């Protein structure tokens, strides 16, 4: 199984807070920690831990955060030989507030990620062509997202777009997506619905009408909805042992979905496996420490049966 991941890396600076502060308010947090993050890196590490051979394309600064990233990828078995290293822009930093419920609020400063462009993705073409799955997320310039999906389609490789952070997407981008994985909020942004009311099934169907592929709409503790070839399917929720931090749940879900599909499972089976990964991740603080191995998920699945 080989996965090509195109996305972000950033240093995550996390503070646990009793609640989100109001505008103009200074709030004392309970704890602070820093560590690796970024959706592309998280998904690459998640896929590698689940047994895939992973190549990553991202951009970092020539700074302490960037050097720590290269050490991390080496330790996790992720091939980062194609990454862009900038002397002029810093590694992305993300600022995360986590409430007692486990819900989080995130702001990012993209830094070197803004430099990642179509030519860098084109230079990554051989890695994409050799992959079973191309997994793309959107903390990078949209030109790089579009190029990754287009090259994946050109090379006959199945493409997954995790549309986070969400924005309205052009026909050019959507036309090269085989599977898109929004959550409920991201789905509404993609569709530009504003205040219009739609349930999750309708959201999934509306997005499916815009792409030549399938939709996996994630619903947190309510599971997921799939639309594939016009058929609507529900993925049952997986109960987490506890909900401590939801920050990496989406990345864990997408990594597991990609690995399972690369192994030849159906989309429904892959989404069920991904739901197990997401539930495992929310039970642990942080993102990278919470990404499961295949053994972790096998144990969890065994205990739930």
């Amino acid at each position: 199984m080989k996965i090509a991941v195109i996305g972000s890396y950033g240093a995550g600076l996390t503070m646990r807070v009793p609640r989100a502060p109001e505008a103009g308010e200074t709030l004392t947090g309970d704890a602070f920690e820093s560590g690796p993050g970024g959706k592309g890196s998280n998904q690459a590490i998640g896929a590698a831990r689940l047994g895939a051979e992973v190549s990553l394309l991202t951009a970092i600064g020539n700074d302490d955060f960037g050097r720590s990233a290269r050490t991390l990828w080496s330790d996790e078995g992720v091939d980062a030989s194609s990454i862009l290293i900038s002397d002029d822009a810093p590694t992305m930093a993300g600022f995360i507030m986590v409430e007692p419920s486990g819900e989080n609020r995130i702001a990012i400063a993209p830094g070197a990620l803004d430099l990642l462009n179509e030519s860098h993705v084109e230079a990554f073409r051989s890695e994409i062509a050799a992959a079973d799955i191309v997994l793309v997320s959107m903390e990078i310039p949209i030109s790089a997202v579009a190029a990754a999906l287009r090259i994946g389609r050109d090379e006959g490789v199945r493409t997954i777009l995790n549309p986070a952070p969400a924005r309205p997407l052009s026909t050019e981008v959507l036309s090269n997506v085989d599977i898109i994985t929004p959550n409920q909020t991201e789905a509404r942004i993609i569709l530009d619905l504003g205040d219009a009311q739609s349930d999750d099934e309708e959201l999934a169907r509306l997005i499916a009408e815009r792409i030549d592929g399938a939709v996996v709409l994630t619903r947190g503790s309510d599971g997921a909805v799939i639309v594939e070839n016009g058929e609507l399917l529900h993925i049952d929720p997986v109960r987490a042992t506890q909900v401590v931090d939801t920050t990496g749940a989406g990345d864990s879900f997408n990594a597991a979905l990609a690995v399972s599909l690369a192994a030849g499972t159906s989309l429904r089976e892959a989404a069920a496996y991904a739901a197990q990964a997401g539930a495992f991740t929310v039970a642990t603080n942080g993102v990278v420490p919470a990404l499961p191995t295949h053994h972790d998920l096998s144990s969890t699945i065994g205990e739930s049966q």
Side-chain angles (χ1 to χ4, degrees), residues 67 95 127 132 145 216 232 245 275:
R67 285 184 281 275
F95 302 88
E127 294 295 334
D132 299 298
V145 171
V216 180
L232 181 70
D245 184 355

Side-chain angles (χ1 to χ4, degrees), residues 21-40:
E22 302 292 338
E25 179 186 15
T26 299
L27 190 68
T28 300
D30 299 326
F32 172 82
E33 60 185 20
S34 62
K39 302 190 82 57

Side-chain angles (χ1 to χ4, degrees), residues 10-279:
L13 309 174
T14 302
M15 180 176 290
R16 301 193 69 83
V17 293
R19 57 174 174 79
E22 302 292 338
E25 179 186 15
T26 299
L27 190 68
T28 300
D30 299 326
F32 172 82
E33 60 185 20
S34 62
K39 302 190 82 57
S41 178
N42 294 341
Q43 290 169 7
I45 293 169
R49 287 191 182 175
L50 293 171
E53 180 184 350
V54 180
S55 295
L56 172 65
L57 176 62
T58 189
I60 58 174
N62 188 14
D63 52 26
D64 287 343
F65 286 147
R67 285 184 281 275
S68 295
R70 283 178 278 170
T71 299
L72 172 68
W73 296 324
S74 177
D75 291 344
E76 294 287 346
V78 172
D79 178 4
S81 58
S82 298
I83 64 168
L84 171 65
I85 302 173
S86 173
D87 291 323
D88 301 317
T91 301
M92 181 186 85
F95 302 88
I96 306 159
M97 292 185 295
V98 182
E99 299 179 51
S101 65
E103 292 299 324
N104 62 82
R105 288 168 169 80
I106 304 172
I108 64 172
L113 290 177
D114 281 344
L115 304 178
L116 196 66
N117 61 37
E118 184 175 350
S119 66
H120 300 120
V121 182
E122 183 61 45
F124 195 61
R125 179 182 284 267
S126 62
E127 294 295 334
I128 294 173
D132 299 298
I133 297 286
V134 178
L135 177 56
V136 186
S137 53
M138 291 176 44
E139 287 174 331
I140 57 177
I142 196 64
S143 61
V145 171
L149 295 169
R150 185 186 69 251
I151 292 170
R153 182 63 65 88
D154 288 347
E155 297 292 342
V157 180
R158 203 171 190 183
T159 60
I160 299 176
L161 176 62
N162 176 215
R167 67 189 90 171
L169 295 172
S170 69
T171 301
E172 177 193 7
V173 171
L174 292 174
S175 65
N176 291 314
V177 174
D178 290 316
I179 300 168
I180 192 167
T181 60
N183 63 25
Q184 294 146 303
T185 299
E186 292 156 358
R188 297 183 64 81
I189 293 171
I190 291 167
L191 293 166
D192 196 21
L193 288 181
D195 295 330
Q197 298 299 309
S198 295
D199 61 25
D200 295 339
E201 290 81 2
E202 184 178 6
L203 290 174
R205 288 192 186 279
L206 288 171
I207 294 176
E209 291 173 1
R210 298 193 181 188
I211 68 172
D212 182 23
V215 178
V216 180
L217 190 148
T218 60
R219 307 168 70 202
S221 60
D222 292 324
V225 173
I226 296 175
V227 176
E228 184 179 27
N229 298 323
E231 183 181 4
L232 181 70
L233 304 170
H234 287 86
I235 302 301
D236 292 336
V238 176
R239 185 174 59 189
T241 55
Q242 57 181 340
V243 178
V244 175
D245 184 355
T246 64
T247 308
D251 296 336
S252 184
F253 183 99
N254 279 274
L257 184 77
V259 170
S260 187
L261 289 171
T265 69
S266 69
L267 183 56
R268 184 173 195 165
E269 291 169 321
Y273 182 68
Q276 292 279 353

